[in-house]
Amino acid sequence: MFLNDQETATDLLYYEAIAKTVVRLIGNTGEAPVTIGVHGDWGAGKSSVLKMTEAAVAKEPKTVCIWFNGWAFEGFEDAKTVVMETIVDELRRARPTSTKVADAAKKLLKRIDWLKIARKAGGLVFTAATGIPTLDQIRHVVDLASSVISSPQDHISMEKLRSAAKEAKDYLKEGKEEAERLPDHIHEFRKEFVQLLDAAEITKLVVIVDDLDRCLPKTAVATLEAIRLFLLVDRTAFVIGADELMIEYAVREHFPDLPPASGPIGYARNYLEKLIQVPFRVPALGPAETRVYITLLLAEAALGSVDGRFLALIEAAREDMRLPWKSRGFDHATVQQACDGAIPQPVGQAQMLAAQVTGILTEGTGGNPRQIKRFLNTLLLREAIAEERGLSSEIATPVLAKIMLAERFYPAFYEQVSKAAAADPRGIVEALGHLEDDVRGVASGGPVPAALEGDWAKNEWARRWAGIDPKLKGVDLRPYVFVTRDKRGVLGGLVAASHLEAIVERLMGPTLTAKGAADDVGRLPAPEAEEILEVICRRIVETDAFLKKPKGVDGIDVIVKKHPGLQRRVIDFLKGLPTEKLGAWAPTSWANTFTDQTVAAEFEALREGWAQSGNAALKTAAELTSKRRGR
């Protein structure tokens, strides 16, 4: 099952209310021009609202709707003239048999061609008032001459010289004559555009601009400047879908010398508010809306968008979301009633999954529809892989979803959890249980793990994540780490490269053999060294025999001495070993390994803990080692 991430005209979120309001507003403005903003974060559903708006506007008589995707024209030399040219061309295509439209469009396109010439001349349009050439203009003429002069003599053709002369002549003639009457030129452009609308017999032109917030600042501002040319033209409406914060950023980047604002609102926000007369904000989804959205997404993927049962679910969902604060979250009774008493199996499965992950996704994604959809795609894919591997019985969807939240939104934290799970012979991360109890105000028995005392307990994201159900206390996380890891590592078998496998075997051998691999280990890049370390730690853990010094401990010492940045990983490995099973080797095998003072202090604290343990052999070895260090 795959959930399409493209914008859709199928309303799963009851955004139709926003689209209908936009259409009604356009209709109520009469002939007056209007600019409407549909704002929201990336993935909030702006494009879907715009698609619904386009579909509704297209039904209006004598109305032409043009869709312009700013991102599609990223990289064009002059986005401003591209916007203008696109609008004129689309109007001409809307009335292909009209000679009046063709003639009016031709006049406008000629004016746009002049703007291109002025643009090529180095921004003459914007300095016409002073009559003084800009550096860009001078640079253009210099570049033009240099391109000819720099050619080897035998490669200068008469055609190249004629082209250079013609371009320079056009610059001197067209630029100077047109620049002297720039205000008239803009006025004539708007006048001829009205004539084009008259020729096309259009009562309203609606231009929908999407993905403007994905553009580079230069393209975004150029598109807005082109829209500004039409602001005083009657019978035009622009609907702009963009994250207003990204547009403000584009304005600040494009006009870096703006003075500080004298009032509470900055110049970048003032620019946007002057351009966009009516803003709409697409809201984030709450828990009830998220549950409905997940159910409908999965039901549509399973049944199809034209299936009568799915259409019945859509109607029931709209009624449920009409007053979201009263919503029951699309519960079993609501769905059963919509399906005439018999819930299809795919819909039942969708309901179950929605109930399991709604809380996690609402919290983790901030109610962003695109992030929810992508998260679900990844979740479904991994469950399918687990099923093919015969791991379905080992995987609980809510636990997998919670682990994936950490993977998606806090990779460093996820890595810590996955490594701790791999290092524990039961796959249990004790620190997580303590953290979950701490967040919920529940007292935990036993010593508090160092990870809880450090970053985890103080990190706000980790604490919020730990407070999400289900609890992971006492859960074997190894199957989940195996399913979620996208690269080979401690749970994915041996490293793939044969040269790394050979080094692993040597490091797992006797002391002299392990030390003999030191030079090869020193030549490894850091990621490969870390991968080898993880493989050796996994092999040691898998033996579940720690009374005698396990094979691979000397190899770990070799790796860390050549790659000191991995010292903390070894401390984490040692902390994860079962204290009651450890032999005397644990406190005595690391005489010169931990050169980092912070890590060395952590090892001393760990050794002191061993000295207080009930394991007699470990306790004695730890005490003796501490005494020798004290001398």
Side-chain angles (χ1 to χ4, degrees), residues 266-467:
Y267 282 105
R269 173 55 68 110
N270 277 326
Y271 178 94
L272 188 62
E273 290 185 352
K274 190 171 184 64
L275 186 70
I276 296 177
Q277 299 157 300
V278 184
F280 285 88
R281 180 81 188 176
V282 178
L285 305 184
E289 295 158 307
T290 300
R291 183 168 177 176
V292 173
Y293 182 55
I294 293 171
T295 304
L296 291 179
L297 274 175
L298 298 173
E300 183 183 24
L303 301 176
S305 58
V306 297
D307 187 283
R309 296 167 295 178
F310 173 71
L311 296 176
L313 284 174
I314 284 279
E315 290 303 316
R318 288 186 176 183
E319 181 59 30
D320 186 76
M321 288 191 289
R322 190 172 60 85
L323 302 174
W325 58 91
K326 293 184 178 181
S327 170
R328 294 180 297 179
F330 221 34
D331 59 12
H332 183 81
T334 303
V335 174
Q336 190 174 40
Q337 184 178 357
C339 297
D340 292 329
I343 300 178
Q345 183 184 7
V347 176
Q349 292 173 341
Q351 259 194 298
M352 184 178 299
L353 180 59
Q356 291 172 333
V357 302
T358 288
I360 293 173
L361 283 183
T362 304
E363 176 72 20
T365 65
N368 183 286
R370 178 175 294 150
Q371 291 189 22
I372 290 172
K373 191 181 292 186
R374 291 187 175 184
F375 188 95
L376 286 175
N377 269 332
T378 306
L379 178 68
L380 293 170
L381 174 65
R382 285 170 170 174
E383 284 192 323
I385 292 173
E387 184 178 358
E388 290 298 325
R389 286 180 175 271
L391 298 175
S392 295
S393 60
E394 305 292 330
I395 300 292
T397 299
V399 175
L400 177 59
K402 186 170 181 176
I403 293 294
M404 283 176 55
L405 273 183
E407 177 200 24
R408 170 69 178 82
F409 296 104
Y410 198 170
F413 176 72
Y414 164 80
E415 284 297 323
Q416 288 180 308
V417 171
S418 63
K419 289 177 181 178
D424 188 270
R426 302 160 299 162
I428 295 173
V429 183
E430 296 287 353
L432 280 185
H434 284 276
L435 181 61
E436 289 172 335
D437 288 340
D438 183 61
V439 168
R440 291 168 171 80
V442 178
S444 295
V448 178
L452 181 61
E453 294 174 343
D455 296 338
W456 290 11
K458 299 175 184 177
N459 185 283
E460 186 59 32
W461 191 95
R463 294 185 66 84
R464 288 202 313 272
W465 177 85

Side-chain angles (χ1 to χ4, degrees), residues 116-127:
K116 291 179 182 178
I117 294 173
R119 166 72 168 78
K120 199 170 186 180
L124 191 60
V125 169
F126 305 106
T127 59

